[in-house]
Amino acid sequence: MAAAVLIGAVAVVSYVCGWGGDTDEMPSSLFTAATRGSEDARPTWNLTDEQLLDGLLSAAFSRRSCRSRYEFAGYYRRKPAHKPSLYLVAKLRKHEALQRWCGPGTAPYREALRRLKSGDGAGDGGDCRYVVSIGYNRGLGNRMLAIVSAFLYAVLTERALLVAPYDGDVAALFCEPFPGTTWLLPDDDGRRFPIRQRLRDLDGESQESLGNLLRSNASSSSSSSPPWPYVYLHLEGGFHFHDWLFYCDEQQRRLRGVPWLLMKMDSYIAPGLFLVPSLRGELGRMFPEKDAVFHHLGRYLFHPANAVWHAVTAYHRAHLAGAGRLVGMQLRAYHDETPALSRVVLEQALSCARREKLLLPPPAAAAAGTTTNASDTAVLVTSLSPWYYGRIRDELGGAAAGGVHQPSHEGRQRSEDAAHDMRALSEMYLLSTCDVLLTTGLSTFGYVAQGLAGVRPWLMPRRPPWEEPDAEVPEPPCARAASPEPCFHAPSYYDCAARKNYSDIGKVVPFVQRCEDASWWIKLANGSRQW
């Protein structure tokens, strides 16, 4: 124990002595040891509604287990515009009970594993059923959107959620979200989970995929298929027509009795679930305000592990806490960063900041005297490159007396690198504490930050990687997003009832519309302007 305290003390000394340089860079030492001595070991205490996020969170955890869980709300000066519905809160408490009953180590879980190993299909209604979220080699933002999507589907279909343990080292990044159990699929050389070795190999061509099972059944002479012990749902980009049938009521009924659903995706499928008639009613009761789905589920599900949270809070106290107003800029280029391209990205950000007066308080707030002036503004820059930080500091430093800050600059995105992911997660949370957000279109990193914040960002359109990069700044350089919700990057355009494609997927229901950053994507937006 003494050694652990000493390591923690070294981390704190590294923080105090190592920061404050030109780039305010976040030291790696904060990700190698947590400060243990200051943790509150009391098993229980009085928690406020604010700490419990108006009922989203259970009070069943101790503070020692995860500091971010109940400290999170204290770093957000804005009061949330939307509170979770009582129905959603009740659903979450019910789901926590389901996770405890069906989770790893329980008798129902052992029975479900036995049946999976033997190849038994659907059982009686008393069996536990599962959704396994399978991660793969993509950025942390993509993986977080995929886990939220799998969780939402698990709650809707009354299944326990298990996250594959190799999904970007989830255990190192996040605290357990469900009291009294784990959300991690046990990792023990495959001796207990019969098809663990298959998980990473599953793709759109796998015979266990819903698309291939439907194609095989359609071509067989039999009109009925045997019960499936598990089904792989291939919902990432590049799927086939039969995979899209997941979003049809007929296939939702068919999947209802399958004990194990293995979900692989790299996007946020909630808008697609709202287009499924049989799911829409329950989703509407859970989320009467459709543009707050990720805001509620992300804050419920993701709690940075203590080492990550220590980095977030230490940096915030040192560089951001004294500012009267925080402006966050998330800059991303999707092509090789040539000098010409970098100048276009920089000028686009600066043009947006000038045009929309992002460094000034809103006129209504300024007139009412409820906010400070621009001299108290601080700017937080998140980017893989340090080049933007230096130019923005030179350009805006005089208008931002609170300073221009960049916690880290990784140079490039590194998948399956735990330290890289920890720094990325800390910057998502730092960005989400800002009062105003300027984000780059297409970016799942930005989606997560704006969703956690509940802030409608100013969005800078960017051309996707498969097109030629922008040669000049678009006009206008940015637009206000309709909601904080992430975009669904791979929606199904198939109208199951009409058995043809939608004439306009953005007009099927009032609260699903096309995205600002790509017209072929969709997002949730109910027209609210209260954010």
Side-chain angles (χ1 to χ4, degrees), residues 124-167:
D124 60 49
D127 293 339
C128 287
R129 298 171 303 145
Y130 300 86
V131 167
V132 178
S133 177
I134 306 172
Y136 62 110
N137 191 16
R138 288 292 174 89
L140 180 59
N142 294 78
R143 300 200 304 272
M144 291 175 71
L145 296 179
I147 292 173
V148 164
S149 299
F151 173 64
L152 175 58
Y153 187 71
V155 172
L156 283 171
T157 57
E158 298 183 334
R159 294 173 177 270
L161 171 70
L162 294 172
V163 179
Y166 44 74
D167 187 2

Side-chain angles (χ1 to χ4, degrees), residues 35 97 116 143 145-146 160 173 195 197 199 226 240 264 286 290 346 357 371 377 392 416 420 490-491 517:
T35 306
L116 179 61
R143 300 200 304 272
L145 296 179
L173 293 171
I195 58 173
Q197 300 303 323
L199 295 183
H240 303 297
K264 190 175 186 180
M286 291 166 61
K290 309 301 186 297
L346 173 67
K357 299 180 175 58
T371 187
T377 296
I392 292 173
E416 299 186 347
H420 175 85
D517 39 356

Side-chain angles (χ1 to χ4, degrees), residues 416-480:
E416 299 186 347
D417 181 324
H420 175 85
D421 282 344
M422 293 171 93
R423 282 187 278 270
L425 182 62
S426 73
E427 293 195 11
M428 288 179 188
Y429 273 82
L430 285 169
L431 201 61
S432 74
T433 66
C434 293
D435 304 292
V436 179
L437 286 178
L438 172 61
T439 62
T440 302
L442 317 179
S443 171
T444 56
F445 185 106
Y447 290 166
V448 171
Q450 70 198 40
L452 291 171
V455 168
R456 292 168 52 219
W458 293 95
L459 190 72
M460 296 186 297
R462 302 297 306 162
R463 290 182 181 173
W466 56 87
E467 295 183 6
E468 288 295 317
D470 295 290
E472 56 185 31
V473 175
E475 181 56 38
C478 61
R480 192 75 184 274

Side-chain angles (χ1 to χ4, degrees), residues 66-83:
C66 182
R67 297 188 65 88
S68 67
R69 191 187 318 275
Y70 302 128
E71 292 181 5
F72 173 86
Y75 285 83
Y76 293 78
R77 291 174 295 190
R78 303 175 311 277
K79 297 300 180 184
H82 298 312
K83 294 185 177 183

